[in-house]
Amino acid sequence: MTGKDCVAIASDTRLGLQQQTVACDFQKVFKMHDRLYLGVTGLATDVLTLSQLLKFRMNMYKLREEREIKPAAFSALLTSILYEKRFGPYFTEPVVCGLDEDNQPFVSAMDLIGAPVFTKDFVVSGTCTPNLYGMCETLYKPDMGPDELFETVSQCLLASCDRDALSGWGAMVTIITPEGTTTRKLKGRMD
């Protein structure tokens, strides 16, 4: 979700095997660099494989170009990687968020074959997508500050996960601002 010169990315921490909960501390949001984060939902092995591959490709970009990758370029790289594997896809739904060089928020999401969605307000992905869309459409306001953005994202995520049996069990919320990032862990229902 975007704010005024800030952007937030959040995820639950549940790792499940259908209705069975395997772990309550699974990482789904990965730091690519100080102003760029990747969120990935889906099959756990593909989540880890894709995040490691993207970290490798991003480091190669940094060595070759001698600068950090921009969020739009990273999103294009991810789209290309996913489309390249379209006949044996990674079963993931990635979300890219970050701040560009002008401190403007960037958010994009894509499906498992890399069809991107670019927007100025919010993107959602995962098992509780319908719930998240409803909550985000209700609570989102343009030009929120970092504290209000944190509160809005937290309420959207916790309220949506409470209505979905396959997600939840806590959450991680990261706010990216020009001054730095803030990550907070939220407690959620564990039943």
mmCIF file of all heavy atoms in Angstrom, residues 79-122:
data_model
loop_
_atom_site.group_PDB
_atom_site.id
_atom_site.type_symbol
_atom_site.label_atom_id
_atom_site.label_comp_id
_atom_site.label_asym_id
_atom_site.label_seq_id
_atom_site.Cartn_x
_atom_site.Cartn_y
_atom_site.Cartn_z
ATOM 1 N N THR A 79 9.175 -10.174 -13.864
ATOM 2 C CA THR A 79 8.221 -10.561 -14.907
ATOM 3 C C THR A 79 8.887 -11.456 -15.946
ATOM 4 O O THR A 79 8.335 -12.480 -16.358
ATOM 5 C CB THR A 79 7.635 -9.306 -15.582
ATOM 6 O OG1 THR A 79 6.917 -8.563 -14.601
ATOM 7 C CG2 THR A 79 6.704 -9.662 -16.710
ATOM 8 N N SER A 80 10.095 -11.084 -16.352
ATOM 9 C CA SER A 80 10.839 -11.863 -17.339
ATOM 10 C C SER A 80 11.179 -13.258 -16.818
ATOM 11 O O SER A 80 11.033 -14.253 -17.535
ATOM 12 C CB SER A 80 12.119 -11.115 -17.707
ATOM 13 O OG SER A 80 12.941 -11.895 -18.510
ATOM 14 N N ILE A 81 11.625 -13.345 -15.562
ATOM 15 C CA ILE A 81 11.965 -14.639 -14.962
ATOM 16 C C ILE A 81 10.733 -15.542 -14.895
ATOM 17 O O ILE A 81 10.797 -16.728 -15.222
ATOM 18 C CB ILE A 81 12.583 -14.441 -13.565
ATOM 19 C CG1 ILE A 81 13.991 -13.847 -13.692
ATOM 20 C CG2 ILE A 81 12.624 -15.746 -12.782
ATOM 21 C CD1 ILE A 81 14.590 -13.410 -12.371
ATOM 22 N N LEU A 82 9.599 -14.985 -14.479
ATOM 23 C CA LEU A 82 8.381 -15.786 -14.369
ATOM 24 C C LEU A 82 7.871 -16.230 -15.735
ATOM 25 O O LEU A 82 7.445 -17.383 -15.900
ATOM 26 C CB LEU A 82 7.302 -14.998 -13.625
ATOM 27 C CG LEU A 82 7.560 -14.754 -12.151
ATOM 28 C CD1 LEU A 82 6.518 -13.809 -11.579
ATOM 29 C CD2 LEU A 82 7.596 -16.043 -11.365
ATOM 30 N N TYR A 83 7.926 -15.352 -16.723
ATOM 31 C CA TYR A 83 7.435 -15.721 -18.052
ATOM 32 C C TYR A 83 8.330 -16.769 -18.704
ATOM 33 O O TYR A 83 7.861 -17.635 -19.439
ATOM 34 C CB TYR A 83 7.320 -14.484 -18.945
ATOM 35 C CG TYR A 83 6.636 -14.781 -20.250
ATOM 36 C CD1 TYR A 83 5.263 -15.048 -20.271
ATOM 37 C CD2 TYR A 83 7.336 -14.838 -21.431
ATOM 38 C CE1 TYR A 83 4.619 -15.351 -21.459
ATOM 39 C CE2 TYR A 83 6.699 -15.140 -22.625
ATOM 40 C CZ TYR A 83 5.345 -15.391 -22.638
ATOM 41 O OH TYR A 83 4.714 -15.701 -23.815
ATOM 42 N N GLU A 84 9.611 -16.681 -18.410
ATOM 43 C CA GLU A 84 10.576 -17.649 -18.942
ATOM 44 C C GLU A 84 10.249 -19.074 -18.476
ATOM 45 O O GLU A 84 10.516 -20.042 -19.171
ATOM 46 C CB GLU A 84 11.953 -17.179 -18.458
ATOM 47 C CG GLU A 84 13.109 -18.054 -18.605
ATOM 48 C CD GLU A 84 14.342 -17.365 -18.016
ATOM 49 O OE1 GLU A 84 14.718 -16.302 -18.487
ATOM 50 O OE2 GLU A 84 14.903 -17.912 -17.061
ATOM 51 N N LYS A 85 9.648 -19.217 -17.289
ATOM 52 C CA LYS A 85 9.300 -20.526 -16.724
ATOM 53 C C LYS A 85 7.806 -20.833 -16.871
ATOM 54 O O LYS A 85 7.251 -21.592 -16.084
ATOM 55 C CB LYS A 85 9.670 -20.557 -15.237
ATOM 56 C CG LYS A 85 11.120 -20.327 -14.925
ATOM 57 C CD LYS A 85 11.933 -21.557 -15.128
ATOM 58 C CE LYS A 85 11.700 -22.472 -13.940
ATOM 59 N NZ LYS A 85 12.463 -23.684 -14.026
ATOM 60 N N ARG A 86 7.148 -20.263 -17.873
ATOM 61 C CA ARG A 86 5.689 -20.364 -17.972
ATOM 62 C C ARG A 86 5.177 -21.777 -18.190
ATOM 63 O O ARG A 86 4.050 -22.085 -17.838
ATOM 64 C CB ARG A 86 5.173 -19.437 -19.065
ATOM 65 C CG ARG A 86 5.595 -19.813 -20.463
ATOM 66 C CD ARG A 86 5.232 -18.725 -21.461
ATOM 67 N NE ARG A 86 5.728 -19.012 -22.790
ATOM 68 C CZ ARG A 86 6.945 -18.744 -23.217
ATOM 69 N NH1 ARG A 86 7.814 -18.188 -22.397
ATOM 70 N NH2 ARG A 86 7.312 -19.029 -24.452
ATOM 71 N N PHE A 87 5.986 -22.689 -18.751
ATOM 72 C CA PHE A 87 5.515 -24.048 -18.987
ATOM 73 C C PHE A 87 5.735 -24.954 -17.777
ATOM 74 O O PHE A 87 5.168 -26.047 -17.703
ATOM 75 C CB PHE A 87 6.182 -24.633 -20.233
ATOM 76 C CG PHE A 87 5.827 -23.860 -21.477
ATOM 77 C CD1 PHE A 87 6.802 -23.189 -22.187
ATOM 78 C CD2 PHE A 87 4.514 -23.802 -21.909
ATOM 79 C CE1 PHE A 87 6.474 -22.475 -23.324
ATOM 80 C CE2 PHE A 87 4.177 -23.078 -23.048
ATOM 81 C CZ PHE A 87 5.164 -22.413 -23.756
ATOM 82 N N GLY A 88 6.559 -24.528 -16.857
ATOM 83 C CA GLY A 88 6.762 -25.202 -15.573
ATOM 84 C C GLY A 88 6.937 -24.115 -14.528
ATOM 85 O O GLY A 88 8.036 -23.883 -14.044
ATOM 86 N N PRO A 89 5.846 -23.393 -14.212
ATOM 87 C CA PRO A 89 5.977 -22.141 -13.464
ATOM 88 C C PRO A 89 6.324 -22.328 -11.985
ATOM 89 O O PRO A 89 6.128 -23.386 -11.406
ATOM 90 C CB PRO A 89 4.602 -21.509 -13.606
ATOM 91 C CG PRO A 89 3.681 -22.672 -13.742
ATOM 92 C CD PRO A 89 4.453 -23.713 -14.504
ATOM 93 N N TYR A 90 6.855 -21.234 -11.426
ATOM 94 C CA TYR A 90 6.944 -21.126 -9.971
ATOM 95 C C TYR A 90 5.522 -20.848 -9.495
ATOM 96 O O TYR A 90 4.880 -19.909 -9.969
ATOM 97 C CB TYR A 90 7.851 -19.964 -9.564
ATOM 98 C CG TYR A 90 9.298 -20.128 -9.937
ATOM 99 C CD1 TYR A 90 9.901 -19.277 -10.851
ATOM 100 C CD2 TYR A 90 10.075 -21.129 -9.367
ATOM 101 C CE1 TYR A 90 11.238 -19.417 -11.185
ATOM 102 C CE2 TYR A 90 11.409 -21.274 -9.694
ATOM 103 C CZ TYR A 90 11.989 -20.419 -10.609
ATOM 104 O OH TYR A 90 13.303 -20.556 -10.938
ATOM 105 N N PHE A 91 5.034 -21.634 -8.544
ATOM 106 C CA PHE A 91 3.674 -21.431 -8.054
ATOM 107 C C PHE A 91 3.690 -20.350 -6.988
ATOM 108 O O PHE A 91 3.590 -20.624 -5.784
ATOM 109 C CB PHE A 91 3.085 -22.752 -7.542
ATOM 110 C CG PHE A 91 2.849 -23.730 -8.650
ATOM 111 C CD1 PHE A 91 3.705 -24.796 -8.854
ATOM 112 C CD2 PHE A 91 1.780 -23.561 -9.513
ATOM 113 C CE1 PHE A 91 3.494 -25.685 -9.894
ATOM 114 C CE2 PHE A 91 1.551 -24.448 -10.559
ATOM 115 C CZ PHE A 91 2.425 -25.510 -10.749
ATOM 116 N N THR A 92 3.838 -19.117 -7.439
ATOM 117 C CA THR A 92 3.936 -17.963 -6.547
ATOM 118 C C THR A 92 3.155 -16.794 -7.122
ATOM 119 O O THR A 92 2.864 -16.761 -8.316
ATOM 120 C CB THR A 92 5.402 -17.508 -6.373
ATOM 121 O OG1 THR A 92 5.906 -17.127 -7.645
ATOM 122 C CG2 THR A 92 6.261 -18.595 -5.783
ATOM 123 N N GLU A 93 2.835 -15.847 -6.254
ATOM 124 C CA GLU A 93 2.235 -14.577 -6.665
ATOM 125 C C GLU A 93 3.057 -13.465 -6.023
ATOM 126 O O GLU A 93 2.794 -13.059 -4.896
ATOM 127 C CB GLU A 93 0.785 -14.488 -6.201
ATOM 128 C CG GLU A 93 -0.160 -15.434 -6.896
ATOM 129 C CD GLU A 93 -1.586 -15.280 -6.401
ATOM 130 O OE1 GLU A 93 -1.912 -14.242 -5.793
ATOM 131 O OE2 GLU A 93 -2.365 -16.202 -6.619
ATOM 132 N N PRO A 94 4.074 -12.946 -6.722
ATOM 133 C CA PRO A 94 4.946 -11.950 -6.113
ATOM 134 C C PRO A 94 4.357 -10.539 -6.102
ATOM 135 O O PRO A 94 3.555 -10.168 -6.959
ATOM 136 C CB PRO A 94 6.208 -11.984 -6.975
ATOM 137 C CG PRO A 94 5.944 -12.890 -8.092
ATOM 138 C CD PRO A 94 4.564 -13.422 -7.995
ATOM 139 N N VAL A 95 4.802 -9.770 -5.112
ATOM 140 C CA VAL A 95 4.476 -8.351 -4.972
ATOM 141 C C VAL A 95 5.793 -7.609 -4.809
ATOM 142 O O VAL A 95 6.640 -8.009 -4.005
ATOM 143 C CB VAL A 95 3.579 -8.105 -3.739
ATOM 144 C CG1 VAL A 95 3.406 -6.621 -3.468
ATOM 145 C CG2 VAL A 95 2.239 -8.775 -3.909
ATOM 146 N N VAL A 96 5.973 -6.534 -5.580
ATOM 147 C CA VAL A 96 7.185 -5.713 -5.494
ATOM 148 C C VAL A 96 6.778 -4.348 -4.975
ATOM 149 O O VAL A 96 5.809 -3.757 -5.464
ATOM 150 C CB VAL A 96 7.856 -5.564 -6.881
ATOM 151 C CG1 VAL A 96 9.045 -4.635 -6.810
ATOM 152 C CG2 VAL A 96 8.257 -6.922 -7.419
ATOM 153 N N CYS A 97 7.502 -3.847 -3.983
ATOM 154 C CA CYS A 97 7.229 -2.490 -3.520
ATOM 155 C C CYS A 97 8.533 -1.808 -3.148
ATOM 156 O O CYS A 97 9.499 -2.460 -2.749
ATOM 157 C CB CYS A 97 6.238 -2.478 -2.377
ATOM 158 S SG CYS A 97 6.935 -2.767 -0.779
ATOM 159 N N GLY A 98 8.553 -0.518 -3.320
ATOM 160 C CA GLY A 98 9.751 0.246 -2.996
ATOM 161 C C GLY A 98 9.569 1.713 -3.312
ATOM 162 O O GLY A 98 8.496 2.154 -3.729
ATOM 163 N N LEU A 99 10.637 2.455 -3.100
ATOM 164 C CA LEU A 99 10.666 3.879 -3.422
ATOM 165 C C LEU A 99 11.649 4.089 -4.560
ATOM 166 O O LEU A 99 12.744 3.539 -4.544
ATOM 167 C CB LEU A 99 11.109 4.705 -2.205
ATOM 168 C CG LEU A 99 10.165 4.719 -1.002
ATOM 169 C CD1 LEU A 99 10.798 5.503 0.134
ATOM 170 C CD2 LEU A 99 8.823 5.317 -1.363
ATOM 171 N N ASP A 100 11.263 4.899 -5.545
ATOM 172 C CA ASP A 100 12.186 5.196 -6.640
ATOM 173 C C ASP A 100 13.126 6.330 -6.225
ATOM 174 O O ASP A 100 13.117 6.781 -5.080
ATOM 175 C CB ASP A 100 11.440 5.487 -7.936
ATOM 176 C CG ASP A 100 10.557 6.719 -7.858
ATOM 177 O OD1 ASP A 100 10.712 7.529 -6.930
ATOM 178 O OD2 ASP A 100 9.696 6.878 -8.746
ATOM 179 N N GLU A 101 13.935 6.809 -7.169
ATOM 180 C CA GLU A 101 14.943 7.827 -6.837
ATOM 181 C C GLU A 101 14.327 9.165 -6.439
ATOM 182 O O GLU A 101 14.967 9.972 -5.783
ATOM 183 C CB GLU A 101 15.929 8.009 -7.999
ATOM 184 C CG GLU A 101 15.320 8.526 -9.290
ATOM 185 C CD GLU A 101 14.706 7.438 -10.156
ATOM 186 O OE1 GLU A 101 14.771 6.260 -9.791
ATOM 187 O OE2 GLU A 101 14.138 7.788 -11.207
ATOM 188 N N ASP A 102 13.052 9.422 -6.810
ATOM 189 C CA ASP A 102 12.354 10.652 -6.432
ATOM 190 C C ASP A 102 11.490 10.459 -5.184
ATOM 191 O O ASP A 102 10.630 11.296 -4.897
ATOM 192 C CB ASP A 102 11.471 11.129 -7.590
ATOM 193 C CG ASP A 102 12.276 11.429 -8.837
ATOM 194 O OD1 ASP A 102 13.422 11.903 -8.698
ATOM 195 O OD2 ASP A 102 11.764 11.171 -9.945
ATOM 196 N N ASN A 103 11.692 9.357 -4.469
ATOM 197 C CA ASN A 103 10.922 8.992 -3.273
ATOM 198 C C ASN A 103 9.438 8.790 -3.567
ATOM 199 O O ASN A 103 8.608 8.944 -2.679
ATOM 200 C CB ASN A 103 11.103 10.021 -2.154
ATOM 201 C CG ASN A 103 12.514 10.046 -1.641
ATOM 202 O OD1 ASN A 103 13.201 9.028 -1.648
ATOM 203 N ND2 ASN A 103 12.965 11.199 -1.205
ATOM 204 N N GLN A 104 9.117 8.444 -4.798
ATOM 205 C CA GLN A 104 7.739 8.124 -5.149
ATOM 206 C C GLN A 104 7.519 6.630 -4.923
ATOM 207 O O GLN A 104 8.342 5.812 -5.311
ATOM 208 C CB GLN A 104 7.460 8.484 -6.612
ATOM 209 C CG GLN A 104 7.509 9.966 -6.889
ATOM 210 C CD GLN A 104 6.514 10.730 -6.033
ATOM 211 O OE1 GLN A 104 5.336 10.389 -5.979
ATOM 212 N NE2 GLN A 104 7.001 11.734 -5.341
ATOM 213 N N PRO A 105 6.406 6.255 -4.289
ATOM 214 C CA PRO A 105 6.153 4.835 -4.034
ATOM 215 C C PRO A 105 5.863 4.068 -5.313
ATOM 216 O O PRO A 105 5.266 4.594 -6.256
ATOM 217 C CB PRO A 105 4.942 4.843 -3.111
ATOM 218 C CG PRO A 105 4.339 6.179 -3.232
ATOM 219 C CD PRO A 105 5.372 7.119 -3.727
ATOM 220 N N PHE A 106 6.313 2.817 -5.334
ATOM 221 C CA PHE A 106 6.089 1.920 -6.464
ATOM 222 C C PHE A 106 5.549 0.609 -5.927
ATOM 223 O O PHE A 106 6.124 0.037 -5.000
ATOM 224 C CB PHE A 106 7.409 1.663 -7.212
ATOM 225 C CG PHE A 106 7.278 0.665 -8.323
ATOM 226 C CD1 PHE A 106 6.914 1.074 -9.589
ATOM 227 C CD2 PHE A 106 7.503 -0.688 -8.101
ATOM 228 C CE1 PHE A 106 6.781 0.160 -10.624
ATOM 229 C CE2 PHE A 106 7.374 -1.606 -9.113
ATOM 230 C CZ PHE A 106 7.013 -1.182 -10.391
ATOM 231 N N VAL A 107 4.440 0.137 -6.475
ATOM 232 C CA VAL A 107 3.911 -1.181 -6.125
ATOM 233 C C VAL A 107 3.471 -1.893 -7.397
ATOM 234 O O VAL A 107 2.931 -1.271 -8.316
ATOM 235 C CB VAL A 107 2.725 -1.127 -5.124
ATOM 236 C CG1 VAL A 107 3.177 -0.677 -3.764
ATOM 237 C CG2 VAL A 107 1.604 -0.260 -5.617
ATOM 238 N N SER A 108 3.766 -3.168 -7.451
ATOM 239 C CA SER A 108 3.298 -3.994 -8.562
ATOM 240 C C SER A 108 3.113 -5.417 -8.058
ATOM 241 O O SER A 108 3.719 -5.817 -7.070
ATOM 242 C CB SER A 108 4.279 -3.962 -9.732
ATOM 243 O OG SER A 108 5.430 -4.693 -9.435
ATOM 244 N N ALA A 109 2.274 -6.142 -8.759
ATOM 245 C CA ALA A 109 2.050 -7.554 -8.447
ATOM 246 C C ALA A 109 1.964 -8.299 -9.764
ATOM 247 O O ALA A 109 1.781 -7.688 -10.820
ATOM 248 C CB ALA A 109 0.763 -7.733 -7.654
ATOM 249 N N MET A 110 2.144 -9.584 -9.703
ATOM 250 C CA MET A 110 2.038 -10.395 -10.915
ATOM 251 C C MET A 110 1.534 -11.788 -10.573
ATOM 252 O O MET A 110 1.575 -12.202 -9.417
ATOM 253 C CB MET A 110 3.360 -10.442 -11.674
ATOM 254 C CG MET A 110 4.560 -10.738 -10.867
ATOM 255 S SD MET A 110 6.044 -9.913 -11.447
ATOM 256 C CE MET A 110 5.765 -8.242 -10.990
ATOM 257 N N ASP A 111 1.049 -12.465 -11.610
ATOM 258 C CA ASP A 111 0.593 -13.830 -11.415
ATOM 259 C C ASP A 111 1.751 -14.786 -11.643
ATOM 260 O O ASP A 111 2.890 -14.365 -11.816
ATOM 261 C CB ASP A 111 -0.613 -14.142 -12.310
ATOM 262 C CG ASP A 111 -0.290 -14.093 -13.790
ATOM 263 O OD1 ASP A 111 0.885 -13.842 -14.146
ATOM 264 O OD2 ASP A 111 -1.197 -14.312 -14.598
ATOM 265 N N LEU A 112 1.481 -16.080 -11.653
ATOM 266 C CA LEU A 112 2.571 -17.054 -11.717
ATOM 267 C C LEU A 112 3.307 -17.091 -13.046
ATOM 268 O O LEU A 112 4.425 -17.597 -13.102
ATOM 269 C CB LEU A 112 2.081 -18.456 -11.344
ATOM 270 C CG LEU A 112 1.222 -19.231 -12.337
ATOM 271 C CD1 LEU A 112 1.238 -20.695 -11.917
ATOM 272 C CD2 LEU A 112 -0.165 -18.736 -12.398
ATOM 273 N N ILE A 113 2.743 -16.524 -14.125
ATOM 274 C CA ILE A 113 3.497 -16.465 -15.379
ATOM 275 C C ILE A 113 4.005 -15.056 -15.677
ATOM 276 O O ILE A 113 4.479 -14.787 -16.770
ATOM 277 C CB ILE A 113 2.706 -17.022 -16.575
ATOM 278 C CG1 ILE A 113 1.439 -16.232 -16.819
ATOM 279 C CG2 ILE A 113 2.430 -18.496 -16.398
ATOM 280 C CD1 ILE A 113 0.800 -16.522 -18.163
ATOM 281 N N GLY A 114 3.910 -14.145 -14.720
ATOM 282 C CA GLY A 114 4.546 -12.850 -14.851
ATOM 283 C C GLY A 114 3.707 -11.745 -15.442
ATOM 284 O O GLY A 114 4.256 -10.709 -15.812
ATOM 285 N N ALA A 115 2.397 -11.895 -15.553
ATOM 286 C CA ALA A 115 1.553 -10.812 -16.050
ATOM 287 C C ALA A 115 1.461 -9.737 -14.964
ATOM 288 O O ALA A 115 0.890 -9.972 -13.909
ATOM 289 C CB ALA A 115 0.168 -11.331 -16.397
ATOM 290 N N PRO A 116 2.046 -8.554 -15.222
ATOM 291 C CA PRO A 116 2.143 -7.556 -14.143
ATOM 292 C C PRO A 116 0.901 -6.684 -14.003
ATOM 293 O O PRO A 116 0.143 -6.493 -14.953
ATOM 294 C CB PRO A 116 3.338 -6.713 -14.579
ATOM 295 C CG PRO A 116 3.311 -6.770 -16.065
ATOM 296 C CD PRO A 116 2.768 -8.136 -16.418
ATOM 297 N N VAL A 117 0.731 -6.157 -12.795
ATOM 298 C CA VAL A 117 -0.281 -5.159 -12.478
ATOM 299 C C VAL A 117 0.445 -4.017 -11.787
ATOM 300 O O VAL A 117 1.109 -4.228 -10.765
ATOM 301 C CB VAL A 117 -1.359 -5.731 -11.529
ATOM 302 C CG1 VAL A 117 -2.303 -4.643 -11.070
ATOM 303 C CG2 VAL A 117 -2.115 -6.848 -12.182
ATOM 304 N N PHE A 118 0.345 -2.819 -12.347
ATOM 305 C CA PHE A 118 0.945 -1.634 -11.743
ATOM 306 C C PHE A 118 -0.183 -0.740 -11.264
ATOM 307 O O PHE A 118 -1.162 -0.545 -11.968
ATOM 308 C CB PHE A 118 1.805 -0.872 -12.761
ATOM 309 C CG PHE A 118 2.906 -1.699 -13.350
ATOM 310 C CD1 PHE A 118 2.781 -2.235 -14.615
ATOM 311 C CD2 PHE A 118 4.058 -1.958 -12.627
ATOM 312 C CE1 PHE A 118 3.787 -3.009 -15.169
ATOM 313 C CE2 PHE A 118 5.070 -2.731 -13.168
ATOM 314 C CZ PHE A 118 4.937 -3.254 -14.435
ATOM 315 N N THR A 119 -0.038 -0.183 -10.069
ATOM 316 C CA THR A 119 -1.094 0.649 -9.520
ATOM 317 C C THR A 119 -0.489 1.734 -8.637
ATOM 318 O O THR A 119 0.672 1.650 -8.256
ATOM 319 C CB THR A 119 -2.099 -0.212 -8.732
ATOM 320 O OG1 THR A 119 -3.149 0.610 -8.249
ATOM 321 C CG2 THR A 119 -1.446 -0.904 -7.576
ATOM 322 N N LYS A 120 -1.297 2.712 -8.310
ATOM 323 C CA LYS A 120 -0.836 3.827 -7.473
ATOM 324 C C LYS A 120 -1.312 3.707 -6.031
ATOM 325 O O LYS A 120 -0.928 4.502 -5.195
ATOM 326 C CB LYS A 120 -1.338 5.160 -8.043
ATOM 327 C CG LYS A 120 -0.822 5.469 -9.413
ATOM 328 C CD LYS A 120 0.615 5.868 -9.366
ATOM 329 C CE LYS A 120 1.094 6.258 -10.748
ATOM 330 N NZ LYS A 120 2.523 6.173 -10.874
ATOM 331 N N ASP A 121 -2.172 2.713 -5.728
ATOM 332 C CA ASP A 121 -2.703 2.636 -4.373
ATOM 333 C C ASP A 121 -2.280 1.375 -3.622
ATOM 334 O O ASP A 121 -1.504 1.454 -2.687
ATOM 335 C CB ASP A 121 -4.225 2.794 -4.363
ATOM 336 C CG ASP A 121 -4.923 1.948 -5.408
ATOM 337 O OD1 ASP A 121 -4.282 1.044 -5.975
ATOM 338 O OD2 ASP A 121 -6.118 2.172 -5.649
ATOM 339 N N PHE A 122 -2.742 0.196 -4.024
ATOM 340 C CA PHE A 122 -2.379 -1.035 -3.315
ATOM 341 C C PHE A 122 -2.504 -2.233 -4.235
ATOM 342 O O PHE A 122 -3.214 -2.196 -5.231
ATOM 343 C CB PHE A 122 -3.245 -1.229 -2.067
ATOM 344 C CG PHE A 122 -4.708 -1.362 -2.360
ATOM 345 C CD1 PHE A 122 -5.261 -2.597 -2.679
ATOM 346 C CD2 PHE A 122 -5.541 -0.258 -2.323
ATOM 347 C CE1 PHE A 122 -6.607 -2.722 -2.965
ATOM 348 C CE2 PHE A 122 -6.893 -0.372 -2.608
ATOM 349 C CZ PHE A 122 -7.419 -1.607 -2.923
#
